[in-house]
Amino acid sequence: MSLSIVKELKVLPCLSLLTEEDLERIGNGLEIKNIKKNDVIFSEAEPVRDIFIVKKGSVKLYKTSSDGRELIIRIMKEGDYFCCAAALSGERYFVSASAIEDSVVVTLSLHLFKKRLFGNIDPLTMKLIKGLCNRIRYLSSVVEELTFMNVEQRIGNLLFRFAEECGGGDEVELSLTHQEIASMVGTVREVVSRVMSRFKKEGIILDSNVKGFRVSKERLLEMLSRIE
């Protein structure tokens, strides 16, 4: 990497604390790319290839619903970096990115990102970092559900996640109150009670008591597939 590029990168806030030696160490893998207005940089669910830093211009990170609605998660400006969480939590982008205006981005390949920036981190610290990145991914999915899904879909997805975490066969016992479900999906208890009554009539909820209820994962998944 040339000295001029090192100096250019050092003024970016996210790299300002790195020494020239640090920048030289990661510099051989850095590329500077010109992105035209409205060009898509990557799409949601694609495998992570690069980590990005906005050198000039602006980039929007967004999610798109199945019917084409768009939710902008954040607009990245000069000096902002993105895709670190995706790289460390599952290696797939959980948003899409496109240029709002003609922009310049600095890219670092996923392989070099892990090798040069995280190669010397001890395993325990790495687990903590990955845990934080997984929480970011989870919060991103919550925002998507609240924006694009109706309350029945949100409740169904929540129950399916909890059921999957329990493991076992098709029928799983869940210890959740209607109020707890309401708080987690952004609605009120009365709405949850109505939806749960419908689930019971459809055979998704098999029985319930004061401690919780039993749910069929197979029937729940069938219902979610129908209403997508």
Side-chain angles (χ1 to χ4, degrees):
M1 175 182 286
S2 70
L3 184 59
S4 62
I5 296 179
V6 169
K7 289 181 178 178
E8 285 183 44
L9 293 179
K10 193 168 174 58
V11 303
L12 299 177
C14 60
L15 300 178
S16 61
L17 296 180
L18 297 181
T19 64
E20 289 188 6
E21 183 180 350
D22 293 329
L23 288 172
E24 287 287 355
R25 184 164 59 86
I26 67 172
N28 291 333
L30 293 176
E31 292 185 37
I32 295 179
K33 297 182 179 180
N34 295 302
I35 312 294
K36 293 293 186 182
K37 180 180 178 179
N38 296 327
D39 278 359
V40 175
I41 301 171
F42 57 80
S43 297
E44 184 177 354
E46 288 182 357
V48 176
R49 300 179 299 273
D50 301 291
I51 310 303
F52 299 87
I53 302 169
V54 180
K55 186 173 181 290
K56 182 181 179 182
S58 55
V59 171
K60 67 177 179 180
L61 306 182
Y62 62 97
K63 284 181 168 288
T64 307
S65 70
S66 57
D67 60 1
R69 287 178 294 159
E70 183 180 285
L71 170 67
I72 295 179
I73 302 296
R74 187 177 176 187
I75 294 178
M76 314 303 288
K77 298 288 188 178
E78 182 178 321
D80 288 334
Y81 59 93
F82 52 101
C83 295
C84 296
L88 295 173
S89 66
E91 299 192 1
R92 287 188 179 274
Y93 298 119
F94 46 88
V95 294
S96 300
S98 66
I100 296 176
E101 57 186 312
D102 289 351
S103 302
V104 180
V105 298
V106 180
T107 69
L108 176 64
S109 72
L110 175 62
H111 169 71
L112 291 177
F113 170 72
K114 289 183 172 181
K115 179 180 178 181
R116 296 182 180 178
L117 296 184
F118 290 93
N120 296 323
I121 294 180
D122 65 89
L124 177 59
T125 302
M126 196 64 202
K127 285 181 180 179
L128 291 173
I129 293 172
K130 285 186 176 181
L132 291 172
C133 292
N134 283 328
R135 298 309 296 170
I136 294 173
R137 178 180 290 274
Y138 170 72
L139 291 173
S140 175
S141 69
V142 169
V143 170
E144 181 177 16
E145 288 183 7
L146 288 172
T147 304
F148 295 140
M149 295 183 181
N150 62 40
V151 69
E152 186 174 354
Q153 289 173 301
R154 300 202 304 268
I155 292 172
N157 276 333
L158 177 74
L159 298 185
F160 188 75
R161 280 200 301 268
F162 273 91
E164 283 286 273
E165 289 173 4
C166 291
D170 174 48
E171 298 179 9
V172 176
E173 188 83 24
L174 298 180
S175 299
L176 292 169
T177 68
H178 288 189
Q179 183 58 57
E180 288 171 336
I181 294 171
S183 298
M184 285 187 275
V185 301
T187 188
V188 296
R189 182 180 58 79
E190 291 78 9
V191 172
V192 171
S193 296
R194 289 197 294 270
V195 172
M196 295 293 277
S197 293
R198 288 203 298 272
F199 285 179
K200 197 166 186 177
K201 289 178 182 178
E202 295 177 18
I204 296 168
I205 303 296
L206 304 175
D207 58 54
S208 58
N209 52 53
V210 293
K211 294 183 179 179
F213 52 90
R214 194 156 49 93
V215 63
S216 166
K217 289 190 286 187
E218 183 177 332
R219 291 179 183 176
L220 183 56
L221 189 58
E222 287 176 1
M223 182 275 294
L224 289 172
S225 298
R226 288 198 309 270
I227 62 177
E228 279 185 353

Short mmCIF file of all heavy atoms in Angstrom, two decimals, residues 45 63 81 86-87 98 100 111 145 151 178 180 182 211 227:
data_model
loop_
_atom_site.label_atom_id
_atom_site.label_comp_id
_atom_site.label_asym_id
_atom_site.label_seq_id
_atom_site.Cartn_x
_atom_site.Cartn_y
_atom_site.Cartn_z
N ALA A 45 -28.61 -12.03 2.58
CA ALA A 45 -28.47 -13.49 2.53
C ALA A 45 -27.33 -13.97 1.64
O ALA A 45 -27.02 -15.17 1.62
CB ALA A 45 -29.77 -14.17 2.12
N LYS A 63 -33.51 -3.56 4.41
CA LYS A 63 -34.16 -4.85 4.24
C LYS A 63 -35.34 -4.66 3.30
O LYS A 63 -35.95 -3.58 3.26
CB LYS A 63 -34.63 -5.41 5.59
CG LYS A 63 -33.51 -5.97 6.46
CD LYS A 63 -34.05 -6.51 7.75
CE LYS A 63 -33.00 -7.33 8.48
NZ LYS A 63 -32.74 -8.63 7.83
N TYR A 81 -18.08 2.05 9.01
CA TYR A 81 -17.75 0.72 8.50
C TYR A 81 -18.93 -0.21 8.75
O TYR A 81 -19.72 0.01 9.67
CB TYR A 81 -16.47 0.17 9.13
CG TYR A 81 -16.52 0.04 10.64
CD1 TYR A 81 -16.91 -1.15 11.26
CD2 TYR A 81 -16.16 1.12 11.45
CE1 TYR A 81 -16.95 -1.25 12.63
CE2 TYR A 81 -16.19 1.02 12.82
CZ TYR A 81 -16.59 -0.17 13.41
OH TYR A 81 -16.64 -0.27 14.77
N ALA A 86 -22.03 -9.28 10.52
CA ALA A 86 -22.41 -10.37 9.63
C ALA A 86 -21.25 -11.34 9.43
O ALA A 86 -21.43 -12.56 9.40
CB ALA A 86 -22.85 -9.81 8.28
N ALA A 87 -20.05 -10.81 9.34
CA ALA A 87 -18.86 -11.64 9.12
C ALA A 87 -18.59 -12.58 10.29
O ALA A 87 -18.10 -13.69 10.11
CB ALA A 87 -17.64 -10.76 8.88
N SER A 98 -26.72 -0.40 -0.83
CA SER A 98 -26.59 0.26 -2.13
C SER A 98 -26.17 1.71 -1.92
O SER A 98 -26.40 2.28 -0.84
CB SER A 98 -27.90 0.19 -2.92
OG SER A 98 -28.91 0.94 -2.29
N ILE A 100 -26.32 5.62 -2.14
CA ILE A 100 -27.32 6.68 -2.27
C ILE A 100 -26.85 7.73 -3.28
O ILE A 100 -27.64 8.37 -3.95
CB ILE A 100 -27.59 7.33 -0.90
CG1 ILE A 100 -28.20 6.30 0.04
CG2 ILE A 100 -28.50 8.55 -1.02
CD1 ILE A 100 -28.43 6.81 1.44
N HIS A 111 -11.56 -13.14 4.55
CA HIS A 111 -10.44 -13.97 4.99
C HIS A 111 -9.37 -13.13 5.68
O HIS A 111 -8.91 -13.46 6.78
CB HIS A 111 -9.84 -14.71 3.79
CG HIS A 111 -8.54 -15.39 4.08
ND1 HIS A 111 -8.46 -16.53 4.87
CD2 HIS A 111 -7.26 -15.09 3.70
CE1 HIS A 111 -7.19 -16.89 4.97
NE2 HIS A 111 -6.45 -16.05 4.26
N GLU A 145 -39.34 -8.08 11.59
CA GLU A 145 -40.65 -8.66 11.91
C GLU A 145 -41.66 -7.58 12.27
O GLU A 145 -42.81 -7.61 11.83
CB GLU A 145 -40.51 -9.67 13.05
CG GLU A 145 -39.82 -10.96 12.65
CD GLU A 145 -39.77 -11.97 13.78
OE1 GLU A 145 -40.38 -11.71 14.84
OE2 GLU A 145 -39.13 -13.02 13.61
N VAL A 151 -49.33 -9.46 13.28
CA VAL A 151 -49.14 -9.97 14.65
C VAL A 151 -49.19 -11.50 14.68
O VAL A 151 -48.48 -12.14 15.46
CB VAL A 151 -50.17 -9.34 15.61
CG1 VAL A 151 -51.58 -9.84 15.33
CG2 VAL A 151 -49.79 -9.62 17.06
N HIS A 178 -49.25 -15.28 28.13
CA HIS A 178 -49.70 -14.42 27.03
C HIS A 178 -49.10 -13.02 27.16
O HIS A 178 -48.80 -12.38 26.15
CB HIS A 178 -51.23 -14.36 27.02
CG HIS A 178 -51.86 -15.63 26.55
ND1 HIS A 178 -53.20 -15.76 26.29
CD2 HIS A 178 -51.31 -16.86 26.30
CE1 HIS A 178 -53.46 -16.99 25.88
NE2 HIS A 178 -52.34 -17.68 25.90
N GLU A 180 -46.13 -12.27 28.42
CA GLU A 180 -44.73 -12.34 27.99
C GLU A 180 -44.63 -12.36 26.47
O GLU A 180 -43.78 -11.69 25.88
CB GLU A 180 -44.07 -13.59 28.59
CG GLU A 180 -43.81 -13.49 30.08
CD GLU A 180 -43.37 -14.81 30.69
OE1 GLU A 180 -43.69 -15.87 30.11
OE2 GLU A 180 -42.73 -14.78 31.76
N ALA A 182 -46.84 -11.12 24.39
CA ALA A 182 -47.23 -9.78 23.93
C ALA A 182 -46.06 -8.81 24.01
O ALA A 182 -45.82 -8.01 23.09
CB ALA A 182 -48.40 -9.27 24.76
N LYS A 211 -49.05 -23.29 33.64
CA LYS A 211 -47.59 -23.25 33.51
C LYS A 211 -47.12 -22.98 32.08
O LYS A 211 -45.97 -22.63 31.85
CB LYS A 211 -46.98 -24.58 33.99
CG LYS A 211 -47.16 -24.83 35.48
CD LYS A 211 -46.49 -26.13 35.89
CE LYS A 211 -46.63 -26.37 37.38
NZ LYS A 211 -45.99 -27.65 37.80
N ILE A 227 -48.97 -18.27 5.35
CA ILE A 227 -49.28 -16.84 5.47
C ILE A 227 -48.10 -15.96 5.11
O ILE A 227 -48.16 -14.75 5.30
CB ILE A 227 -49.78 -16.49 6.88
CG1 ILE A 227 -48.69 -16.78 7.95
CG2 ILE A 227 -51.04 -17.23 7.21
CD1 ILE A 227 -49.09 -16.39 9.35
#
